[in-house]
Amino acid sequence: MILKQRNNKESIFFQITAYRRLPVSIWRLGFVSMFMDISSELVHSLLPIFMATVLGSSMVTIGIIEGFAEGIAAFTKLFSGAASDYCGKRKFLAVVGYSLSAITKPIFPLATTIGWVFGARFVDRIGKGIRGAPRDAMVGDIAPAELRGAAYGLRQSLDSVGAFIGPLLAVIFMILFANDIRNVLWVSILPAFMAVLLLIFGVREPDPPQYDIEFKKRVTLANVRHLPKRYWIVVAIGALFTLSRFSEAFLILRAQDVGLAIGYVPLIMIVVNIVYSLFAYPAGAAADRLPARILLVSGLGVLVVADVLLAMAQSPWLTFVGAGFWGLHMALTQGLLSKLVADTAPTQCRGTAFGMFNLITGGALLLASVIAGSLWSAFGAPATFMTGAAFAMISAMGLLFYR
């Protein structure tokens, strides 16, 4: 008992000291993510309802748009990651990506057809794809190796704070604007441009490694052939995880499906991201000390609980509980997977490694979202979430038996 208490105190002390030792640029990158997520999640918490009610789109169409949007983001990350390895300047690509996402925000409230929404989501996700791998690689470049889990956990935590504030603002402004979704969507513009300005003027990129000319010629997409086996194991695990879940748009639609008033639907994403932000940093710090298998299997177990609760829900209250477990699953796994990619990829290929990881997991998310939309249309919401639970259980069993 005494030993257990001592270990708990040591763990808390480690988390606090790691929190204080992280470089200031890690914090600023976290706040960049936070501001952009305030903007993006305000839009995304209302967009599924906007597409379904205002524009009259079907569940299959919503699933295809959401899955395709994330898939194109993942595809773009591969090339932006390789480009950041080649030129050694990750910040420039991150600025381009954040800027593209910012300039799409006015298009959503102006949209009159589903084609407008598709086009805006397409460009927005290209922006996310351009910035994602260079930003994640930059976190790995800036953070000391022994604090990478804490660094990715902190960035994820601040990202989730933004993902909580965005839907909260959506609820507040839906009340103020009498459920006029178009007017609420205009609010997303300011935090998006704040993120771009903070990145430009607040984040200092470390000096790139000095490579000889022959090495630099070899920094191409072909580098994926030289990534080590343990990296590809992490990629396979990430793909299995992504097949086990799908776009959070279906959580929002499930809440409306069981009777939550349209003005309060964004509360679902608030619950997800409160839990995510509270647990992402502790989970990231724990990833620096605990075996990855423990956190990964725990995360999948929590996802099974979330899916079962959402499948069984007959009232909005149970969907809130399921959304909380969904957020806990994200906290336990997402920062950890980023840390594992950074740990298993060579420094000179880290951008390419994150790009390939996001390409494969993005393809899995596209497939998962299309399957989810099709199941919902054919068999109803419970079948969608129970299928997600089945995928999560299979993934957990694979991790338990893999040596």
Side-chain angles (χ1 to χ4, degrees):
M1 183 68 178
I2 294 174
L3 181 61
K4 183 178 180 180
Q5 290 176 346
R6 183 180 300 168
N7 289 337
N8 288 338
K9 289 179 180 178
E10 289 177 354
S11 177
I12 294 171
F13 177 75
F14 176 82
Q15 291 183 23
I16 293 173
T17 55
Y19 173 83
R20 291 176 176 174
R21 290 162 54 200
L22 288 171
V24 68
S25 286
I26 297 293
W27 284 90
R28 289 173 181 171
L29 278 171
F31 281 110
V32 169
S33 293
M34 185 188 77
F35 284 123
M36 185 55 74
D37 250 40
I38 290 173
S39 174
S40 296
E41 293 302 326
L42 187 154
V43 172
H44 298 163
S45 64
L46 294 171
L47 199 59
I49 306 302
F50 183 67
M51 289 189 287
T53 59
V54 179
L55 301 180
S57 301
S58 69
M59 293 298 170
V60 175
T61 300
I62 293 172
I64 291 172
I65 289 175
E66 289 297 311
F68 186 81
E70 296 302 330
I72 195 63
F75 184 74
T76 310
K77 285 178 184 178
L78 175 60
F79 295 95
S80 66
S84 77
D85 287 336
Y86 179 81
C87 67
K89 294 292 183 182
R90 308 194 197 279
K91 179 179 171 179
F92 171 75
L93 289 168
V95 169
V96 171
Y98 277 105
S99 299
L100 274 178
S101 292
I103 64 176
T104 63
K105 294 301 185 283
I107 299 176
F108 293 107
L110 292 171
T112 56
T113 66
I114 197 65
W116 281 52
V117 173
F118 179 81
R121 284 286 280 156
F122 182 83
V123 176
D124 174 54
R125 294 298 90 178
I126 287 179
K128 180 178 180 180
I130 290 174
R131 72 180 183 252
R135 181 205 59 211
D136 290 342
M138 191 157 49
V139 172
D141 293 343
I142 296 170
E146 69 276 10
L147 296 178
R148 279 198 190 122
Y152 284 110
L154 177 67
R155 197 204 68 76
Q156 292 282 0
S157 182
L158 289 172
D159 186 269
S160 300
V161 169
F164 148 69
I165 295 174
L168 179 61
L169 290 176
V171 172
I172 292 171
F173 282 100
M174 285 288 280
I175 295 171
L176 292 176
F177 294 152
N179 292 337
D180 188 331
I181 296 179
R182 291 187 188 276
N183 281 337
V184 177
L185 291 175
W186 285 108
V187 179
S188 67
I189 297 172
L190 178 60
F193 283 94
M194 288 175 65
V196 176
L197 293 174
L198 178 58
L199 178 59
I200 292 172
F201 298 108
V203 176
R204 181 183 179 278
E205 183 177 13
D207 294 330
Q210 297 299 312
Y211 308 138
D212 59 43
I213 296 175
E214 287 304 313
F215 173 80
K216 194 167 183 179
K217 288 179 180 177
R218 296 196 301 270
V219 179
T220 66
L221 290 178
N223 279 334
V224 297
R225 295 178 300 177
H226 306 298
L227 291 167
K229 178 182 176 182
R230 59 200 185 111
Y231 163 80
W232 291 108
I233 292 172
V234 173
V235 171
I237 291 170
L240 282 173
F241 265 66
T242 309
L243 280 173
S244 304
R245 61 182 180 87
F246 29 78
S247 171
E248 279 109 6
F250 291 99
L251 275 69
I252 296 168
L253 293 168
R254 181 58 168 156
Q256 187 195 30
D257 185 52
V258 297
L260 188 62
I262 187 171
Y264 297 100
V265 165
L267 288 172
I268 286 293
M269 295 309 299
I270 291 174
V271 172
V272 169
N273 290 296
I274 285 178
V275 177
Y276 193 175
S277 63
L278 286 175
F279 288 96
Y281 175 75
D288 290 323
R289 295 168 59 85
L290 297 176
R293 186 196 306 269
I294 293 175
L295 292 173
L296 292 172
V297 172
S298 298
L300 284 167
V302 170
L303 180 58
V304 170
V305 174
D307 280 328
V308 171
L309 289 173
L310 290 163
M312 294 172 56
Q314 298 294 322
S315 69
W317 297 109
L318 200 54
T319 63
F320 286 125
V321 178
F325 277 100
W326 191 284
L328 180 58
H329 147 74
M330 298 288 286
L332 289 172
T333 59
Q334 298 309 293
L336 173 59
L337 288 169
S338 294
K339 166 187 161 54
L340 291 174
V341 172
D343 286 347
T344 56
T347 302
Q348 65 271 20
C349 299
R350 190 170 284 148
T352 305
F354 271 105
M356 178 57 68
F357 176 81
N358 287 302
L359 173 63
I360 293 176
T361 55
L365 183 60
L366 168 60
L367 179 61
S369 296
V370 172
I371 292 172
S374 300
L375 286 171
W376 190 308
S377 294
F379 304 107
T384 300
F385 289 101
M386 290 306 294
T387 301
F391 271 117
M393 291 179 67
I394 292 169
S395 300
M397 290 174 62
L399 280 174
L400 285 172
F401 288 107
Y402 173 77
R403 291 293 179 265

